Amino acid sequence: MLGEIRKRLAEFNALRGQEANEPNPKVNEKIEALDTERRRLQEEVLSANHNQGKTNMDAITDHVEQWDDTSYENRQAVVDTLIKVIHIADGNIEITWNI
């Protein structure tokens, strides 16, 4: 097999590839465009999360003020928003909060 590779390489006077230090302009432009898009999307996600958090907290505040008059389903929605998980073992209760 090595002999076949040598024969095939002997057909070429010189092998020339892109220099390691020589950047490809098209690739660099694509990298820059993708990096710009990534930053824009990150900012959009952060903004959306921030605005969603405000909306959820407003809803929770309304429920807290009217807790006694709130339906079971709405109370459950508030608890689902506030609590990540509840562990009960050996008489101990451990609550992991989302906030």
Side-chain angles (χ1 to χ4, degrees):
M1 181 175 207
L2 187 58
E4 291 298 318
I5 293 173
R6 285 184 180 160
K7 284 181 190 176
R8 181 72 177 146
L9 290 175
E11 295 175 15
F12 301 98
N13 289 334
L15 296 177
R16 183 163 177 241
Q18 186 174 354
E19 293 291 324
N21 296 334
E22 190 178 310
N24 185 335
K26 286 185 179 182
V27 172
N28 285 349
E29 289 171 8
K30 185 68 172 176
I31 290 171
E32 289 174 14
L34 289 171
D35 191 47
T36 301
E37 178 71 5
R38 178 187 56 82
R39 280 190 230 130
R40 185 189 64 76
L41 289 171
Q42 282 178 328
E43 289 173 8
E44 189 175 312
V45 167
L46 287 174
S47 176
N49 287 341
H50 179 71
N51 291 337
Q52 181 182 8
K54 279 185 173 179
T55 304
N56 286 344
M57 292 309 282
D58 291 343
I60 292 168
T61 301
D62 291 343
H63 286 301
V64 170
E65 291 172 358
Q66 301 174 10
W67 189 257
D68 292 333
D69 300 326
T70 303
S71 69
Y72 176 79
E73 290 80 15
N74 287 340
R75 288 181 185 188
Q76 185 67 40
V78 171
V79 170
D80 288 343
T81 302
L82 293 174
I83 298 174
K84 187 172 191 172
V85 67
I86 300 174
H87 293 283
I88 302 173
D90 301 325
N92 295 321
I93 300 174
E94 181 182 330
I95 299 173
T96 305
W97 298 92
N98 280 328
I99 55 173

